[in-house]
Amino acid sequence: MLIPRPDELTRGEGEFLVAPDTPIMSDPPLRRAAEWLRSALAPSLGALPPTSGNGPAVRFRHAPDLAEEAYRLTVTPEAVVAEASSHPGAFYAAQSLVQLLPPSVHRSAPTPGPLRLPALAVTDRPRFGWRGTLIDVARHFLPKREVLRYLDLLALHKINVLHLHLTDDQGWRIEIKRYPLLTRTGGWRAGSTVGSSRHGRHEDRPHGGFYTQEDIREIVAYAAERAITVVPEIDLPGHTQAAIAAYPELGNTGGPVDVRTAWGPGEHVLNPEESTLAFFRNVFDEVLDLFDSRYVCIGGDECVTAEWRESARVQELMRERGLPDEDALQAWFVRHFDDYLTERGRRLLGWDEILNGGLAEGATVMSWRGTGGALAAARAGHDVIACPLTDVYFDYRQSDGPDEPIPVGCVIDLADAYAFEPVPEGLSPEEARHVLGGQAQLWTEPVDGPRALDYLAFPRLVAFAEAVWTSGPRDYAEFEPRLLAHLERLDALGVEYRPMAGPHPWQQRPDARGWPRSRAEMLADVLGGPEQHL
């Protein structure tokens, strides 16, 4: 019935009828969730429900005893009562109410007759506080309207973090007023690799786009109304070729550099001059003014160190700073921005390469290269987000079938996504408390538009959402019938998901070759260094 499956659900007798004149009322602390529900039901009802009146009603009641994201929901033929202590819990109660209604409630047209809610009682709260999804808007830009649509889809599944990957070698996607060339030059590239870079196929169609600061403020505010935090990622010291293309003085050669058109990490990385650190402190000053997230991601991953080894100036600076090798230089970058973010009341977030050379004191680790990073960080007392590439990289292929579009990476099918376990084996209960939750990744090298993103995300993201929300044992056989019913909701929303039986003909890409790998090959590849693995 509900996705994610709640902690407790008891069915009752009868049903509650929601008509256009049914009041939706709330105690003041929960008014935002009530207003969201009124707006969500208005198209189906043909009118905006009132906020007061006599007779049967939907009421949001403040319950300070509940945790922030917990809720209680009671539906009887006489009334609907949603209880929560704050906006997130009330919003999740509202999402559950919408899921209990017919799928037609997700369409922008009136539904004949009253809407019917089955009588039941639900008590629910999430297992993890971090239930995230990364969308890589750097490789292929996602227009603002599509970001807002995705926020609605994440909210439907009670996912509470959108990690926006805003910068990389292949593009810079956020306006920085102090440095306009970051978007004017770094915000577009001359062409793109088609399929896996291994095959060398290229198209000379320019690609670009960026979000203005007003766009970002809108996205952050829209997300907050849906109990979602937007976490920005500004990569350094690697994955910075687009920035260096805009401002060559940030690099190590001083010469002109183009925004990278091939996939994979570029060889052009930041130099360690104080002027470069000041440049990125100025960038982050503007970023922090736009995002209210406690966490800010600096990347820190896949830094190709060849330029550092070959640069006499970089080697001189390393000696002056007492840095024995390039790993220590990378760690020096991370510690600098850890101090910067800590001074401003934020927490540094980085991929698990930030463990190399010693982890900065306030850093939180995104463990993507298997579970080793999670184990090391948690045992050292650092917080961890679990996002292993062989489990939750949803740009990877969904089957061994020849019809999968651009089949890169290992197979991660629906059952694999549902079986995802954020807490790796081998941690003590105390260490396991450092695992804040999990995050699914939607890298977009093989994704040239929203339709392809829908195909890769859904329904795997539905399974992932339950994996990070629901406590207790999970049974895929029990989940699948609920998923099949849930697909009717996605149909009503216009989501172009992958059918259970395989892709539609128009979802295939026979023109773009991939690079299928096994799980073992993927892990060996990424653990071996920042090599091309797409």
Side-chain angles (χ1 to χ4, degrees):
M1 181 180 289
L2 292 177
I3 288 181
R5 177 172 56 82
D7 275 355
E8 298 178 20
L9 187 153
T10 304
R11 295 177 181 270
E13 295 291 334
E15 56 189 12
F16 180 88
L17 303 183
V18 183
D21 60 352
T22 300
I24 298 179
M25 302 182 286
S26 71
D27 293 344
L30 310 181
R31 186 168 292 128
R32 292 159 62 200
E35 286 302 311
W36 179 88
L37 183 62
R38 291 177 70 229
S39 297
L41 298 185
S44 290
L45 294 171
L48 191 66
T51 58
S52 62
N54 299 317
V58 178
R59 180 180 294 279
F60 286 79
R61 181 176 296 159
H62 188 225
D65 62 300
L66 292 174
E68 182 183 23
E69 293 190 297
Y71 68 93
R72 288 190 292 260
L73 180 61
T74 305
V75 179
T76 68
E78 293 76 32
V80 175
V81 178
E83 297 177 279
S85 66
S86 62
H87 174 65
F91 181 76
Y92 299 142
Q95 285 289 356
S96 291
L97 282 171
V98 170
Q99 284 197 21
L100 292 168
L101 293 167
S104 60
V105 77
H106 295 287
R107 298 186 181 275
S108 298
T111 298
L115 301 175
R116 300 175 182 273
L117 282 168
L120 47 67
V122 172
T123 301
D124 200 12
R125 64 181 297 170
R127 180 185 175 197
F128 292 104
W130 188 294
R131 306 178 303 282
T133 298
L134 177 145
I135 299 182
D136 170 22
V137 296
R139 271 53 175 269
H140 277 101
F141 179 68
L142 193 67
K144 183 196 70 176
R145 66 179 181 274
E146 293 296 330
V147 176
L148 300 181
R149 181 178 75 96
Y150 255 81
L151 285 166
D152 283 327
L153 292 173
L154 299 183
L156 174 66
H157 299 93
K158 301 184 175 76
I159 290 173
N160 69 342
V161 174
L162 172 61
H163 180 157
L164 273 185
H165 184 248
L166 290 162
T167 71
D168 213 296
D169 297 306
Q170 294 83 9
W172 185 285
R173 306 294 177 216
I174 180 172
E175 178 189 27
I176 302 298
K177 292 185 182 295
R178 183 161 181 164
Y179 302 117
L181 295 183
L182 286 172
T183 48
R184 191 180 306 161
T185 299
W188 72 278
R189 60 179 181 266
S192 303
T193 297
V194 179
S196 169
S197 292
R198 182 178 179 84
H199 307 298
R201 186 185 164 199
H202 190 80
E203 66 173 4
D204 295 323
R205 182 178 67 172
H207 180 82
F210 66 93
Y211 307 109
T212 67
Q213 294 199 356
E214 287 306 304
D215 290 337
I216 293 293
R217 289 189 177 95
E218 180 183 357
I219 288 167
V220 170
Y222 193 88
E225 289 303 303
R226 287 147 184 80
I228 296 172
T229 299
V230 184
V231 174
E233 179 170 347
I234 307 294
D235 275 354
L236 60 87
H239 287 290
T240 48
Q241 188 165 324
I244 296 168
Y247 294 94
E249 64 270 23
L250 299 174
N252 294 281
T253 68
V257 171
D258 293 326
V259 177
R260 185 171 171 84
T261 59
W263 309 137
E267 68 275 16
H268 298 293
V269 300
L270 298 181
N271 66 53
E273 300 283 356
E274 174 54 38
S275 58
T276 298
L277 297 177
F279 181 101
F280 274 88
R281 289 195 301 268
N282 292 334
V283 167
F284 279 110
D285 283 346
E286 295 192 30
V287 169
L288 297 188
D289 188 52
L290 298 171
F291 293 90
D292 57 5
S293 167
R294 182 187 181 198
Y295 294 89
V296 175
C297 188
I298 67 157
D301 61 311
E302 295 184 317
C303 183
V304 182
T305 59
E307 284 189 342
W308 288 348
R309 291 194 301 272
E310 295 165 4
S311 167
R313 174 59 177 163
V314 171
Q315 293 299 312
E316 177 187 3
L317 288 171
M318 287 172 58
R319 288 190 294 272
E320 289 177 4
R321 292 164 181 161
L323 302 174
D325 55 29
E326 288 73 25
D327 279 349
L329 177 56
Q330 182 171 347
W332 176 85
F333 266 100
V334 174
R335 283 194 296 272
H336 178 87
F337 285 97
D338 181 62
D339 291 342
Y340 164 89
L341 291 170
T342 299
E343 288 172 2
R344 287 153 182 80
R346 307 296 181 98
R347 293 286 300 275
L348 182 144
L349 186 66
W351 302 96
D352 59 35
E353 286 94 330
I354 67 174
L355 290 161
N356 299 344
L359 189 58
E361 183 177 349
T364 297
V365 173
M366 306 281 297
S367 180
W368 73 282
R369 296 177 300 172
T371 60
L375 290 166
R379 286 169 177 164
H382 288 272
D383 289 343
V384 173
I385 313 297
C387 46
L389 79 163
T390 54
D391 298 76
V392 287
Y393 269 41
F394 289 168
D395 53 314
Y396 288 0
R397 58 198 173 110
Q398 303 187 57
S399 79
D400 279 322
D403 52 358
E404 287 295 336
I406 315 182
V408 297
C410 59
V411 172
I412 302 176
D413 63 20
L414 192 58
D416 294 326
Y418 190 71
F420 171 56
E421 173 48 56
V423 180
E425 294 182 3
L427 292 180
S428 69
E430 179 64 28
E431 293 165 342
R433 280 192 278 273
H434 285 289
V435 180
L436 303 182
Q439 184 168 287
Q441 272 54 254
L442 288 163
W443 300 107
T444 61
E445 291 98 334
V447 179
D448 61 0
R451 300 181 78 180
L453 193 65
D454 277 8
Y455 176 88
L456 290 175
F458 294 100
R460 289 188 293 187
L461 205 57
V462 183
F464 165 82
E466 186 151 311
V468 292
W469 176 280
T470 301
S471 299
R474 281 172 268 138
D475 180 359
Y476 184 80
E478 184 275 333
F479 167 73
E480 190 171 46
R482 286 186 290 113
L483 173 64
L484 293 175
H486 187 73
L487 294 181
E488 296 182 36
R489 299 179 187 120
L490 299 186
D491 286 329
L493 287 163
V495 178
E496 298 194 52
Y497 58 85
R498 180 189 187 274
M500 301 287 280
H504 293 299
W506 59 87
Q507 292 173 320
Q508 300 173 28
R509 286 293 305 271
D511 62 316
R513 297 171 64 191
W515 186 18
R517 317 288 297 283
S518 68
R519 280 179 165 78
E521 288 172 329
M522 293 305 302
L523 277 174
D525 187 358
V526 299
L527 290 171
E531 305 297 332
Q532 173 64 45
H533 52 83
L534 179 70

